Amino acid sequence: MKPKYIIGINYGSHDASVVLYSKGKILFAAEEERYNREKHTKKFPQKSLEYIITKFSLNDESKVYVVYFMNPFVSFIAPLKMFIHYRNYVSLKYGLKKSFKRLKEWFYIKKYCINKNWKVFYVNHHEAHAASSFFLSPFRKATIVTIDGRGEYLSVGFFKAEDRKIQSLGGISIPFSVGYFYSYFTEYLGFKPQCDEYKVMGLSAFGEPTYINILSSIFSYRNNNKPKVDLNVLDFWKVKGENTFAGLIEIFGPKREMGSSISQNHKNIASSLQKYTQTIISNLVLEAIRRAGYKNVCLSGGVGLNCVANSYIAKFKEVEKLFIPPAPNDTGTALGAALIIANNFCPHFTKNITWNPFLGAEYSSSEILAEISKYCDLLEAEFVEDPSLVGAKLLSQGKIIGWFQERMEWGPRALGNRSIFSQAYPISIKDKLNVLIKERETFRPFAPMILTEYLKDYFTIEESLESILNYMLCTGEAKPIALKNIPAALNVDGTARIQTVSSNFNKKCWDLLNHYKKLTGIPAIINTSFNIKGNPIVNTPKDALADFIDSSLDYCIMGSYLIKRKTLA
């Protein structure tokens, strides 16, 4: 039976997600956190599934295939490999417990689908990462490298791809893991592992890379050489609670506690970690190119969210073009899994997939108005003919606005449909956004959203990054005009995590930026995610209004409605 619909599912790991694919189109993709409001949730994506079942009228007769993002049987290899390295029975017991949990998740999905007469499959984790990148890329032939914490037991995968065929060229297994290496230091620096790595990346700009030689002595990979991991220092594979960081403390000093002050030493560790990690990543990419032979590179896995490393990779002459999907982390494995099954079972499957990153839920004007009416004692709303023009005028007056339009973005970055916008000057606007609006650490940087046609006027950026500029996955070096006109959108080191916007990519944001350019002469604003501290990015009008009320945002533009707080009598 050829499927009419294919559902990809990731859960049990961080960033549970659901994708719906049919006849060459990605119909829906979303993280479960946007529905259950639990950031980076691992839970079964019940609410996302309920949404697509209702929205697309899926039933027992719908010819649905469901695919899980992991091989639950091969995952038992991981704890056995670690036992060989550690000879630690407690760690073995913990690892086997996790593997049985994977098996339990797999059987839960089977039970869920059998009740609906849906067929169930699974794929290998790194193959799902590979497919999520290559099948969305503009390349017909490509080298693929996948880098994360771990899948079943691999932490790195090498692949070559041509048309519909993706061929494995081997990989690297645990205990070597770039993802867990970075996460381990993330926790040591007082942040949440597998969650706050982007904070360490931002913090790295404030330090000096004084510890690179030390890092290279405990963790290394050079082309054609065996990976090196000093398990006496890096004990991140022990059972949770036993990783005391004793090795790191002996070398770098006391572990920082979450919420405590950040010293210059912490900044130097972050800087060293970032610069050394991007060297490791580049070595892995070059090894993948050596094996596959293609200069167009697809990168995926959670490490693909490190935009500083992505831009470093792009500088190598061996890399002609680099593609990374909007959700390279485990969120994207739901998509990759669905596309692998489509490739296997749909004879007419091609790489010419209809997609953009705006794949989540959309809400009608009546739904928006109905939600606003529940807050009539606090808020007032005005219908506006041109939301983009109204938004641009407010921004030119120095206002900070919530922006809620059309379909929600796929992936962890707000790309202009669930965003907070601000002008990017003066530089003091950074502190207002961090402290009063986002309620987060003051060192955190913001990203510029810029009209595509003005990118090269404001930034120096590698040509090989062209295909990912819309997704906020790379950095560029600011030119003098950027330093003058958008200082609040730049990192302390004069770089920025850039997002370009064209009329084909996001028409409403493009209109807003054009109006803003006419009013101010500046083609860029700050774009940050529409959420306040601890919350996932907003999904529904209810989410957006709750965050608007609890924040210090000046206005919210939701669909065609301008929303503001009522003035107290």
Side-chain angles (χ1 to χ4, degrees), residues 3-50:
K4 182 177 180 182
Y5 297 100
I6 300 172
I7 297 173
I9 293 179
N10 156 41
Y11 97 102
S13 176
H14 46 86
D15 302 303
S17 55
V18 165
V19 165
L20 180 65
Y21 169 92
S22 180
K23 297 179 181 178
K25 294 183 180 180
I26 303 168
L27 301 180
F28 175 87
E31 296 94 319
E32 176 69 6
E33 67 165 27
R34 310 292 168 85
Y35 288 87
N36 71 9
R37 309 309 296 161
E38 180 183 292
K39 200 163 187 177
H40 300 294
T41 188
K42 298 180 180 182
K43 293 177 181 176
F44 182 73
Q46 183 75 38
K47 293 187 176 182
S48 303
L49 285 166
E50 288 172 355

Side-chain angles (χ1 to χ4, degrees), residues 395-441:
L395 291 171
S396 71
Q397 297 163 11
K399 305 301 182 183
I400 301 174
I401 65 173
W403 181 259
F404 183 105
Q405 301 293 328
E406 299 178 350
R407 297 189 72 177
M408 181 181 64
E409 299 91 333
W410 167 240
R413 306 267 158 86
L415 302 177
N417 281 6
R418 301 290 189 274
S419 290
I420 290 173
F421 292 154
S422 167
Q423 62 182 18
Y425 64 89
I427 196 167
S428 59
I429 199 72
K430 267 187 179 182
D431 287 340
K432 182 176 181 181
L433 281 165
N434 271 326
V435 177
L436 296 179
I437 307 294
K438 301 283 285 184
E439 301 177 24
R440 66 187 198 182
E441 300 92 344

Side-chain angles (χ1 to χ4, degrees), residues 517-545:
K517 170 71 168 58
K518 290 175 184 176
L519 291 167
T520 65
I522 299 172
I525 59 174
I526 285 174
N527 172 24
T528 188
S529 55
F530 195 160
N531 63 326
I532 57 178
K533 187 176 182 180
N535 292 343
I537 297 174
V538 301
N539 175 18
T540 67
K542 179 181 179 181
D543 303 333
L545 291 174

Side-chain angles (χ1 to χ4, degrees), residues 86-133:
Y86 276 117
R87 300 294 178 180
N88 183 311
Y89 286 96
V90 176
S91 183
L92 176 64
K93 181 179 177 181
Y94 175 71
L96 290 172
K97 183 179 178 181
K98 286 187 70 174
S99 297
F100 277 110
K101 180 175 176 287
R102 284 271 180 257
L103 206 57
K104 184 178 178 182
E105 291 159 0
W106 160 248
F107 283 114
Y108 184 87
I109 291 176
K110 282 184 70 73
K111 181 180 178 182
Y112 179 88
C113 295
I114 287 170
N115 292 338
K116 300 179 182 298
N117 200 30
W118 295 351
K119 288 193 174 182
V120 191
F121 303 84
Y122 60 77
V123 298
N124 289 331
H125 184 77
H126 278 268
E127 290 178 5
H129 273 311
S132 76
S133 186

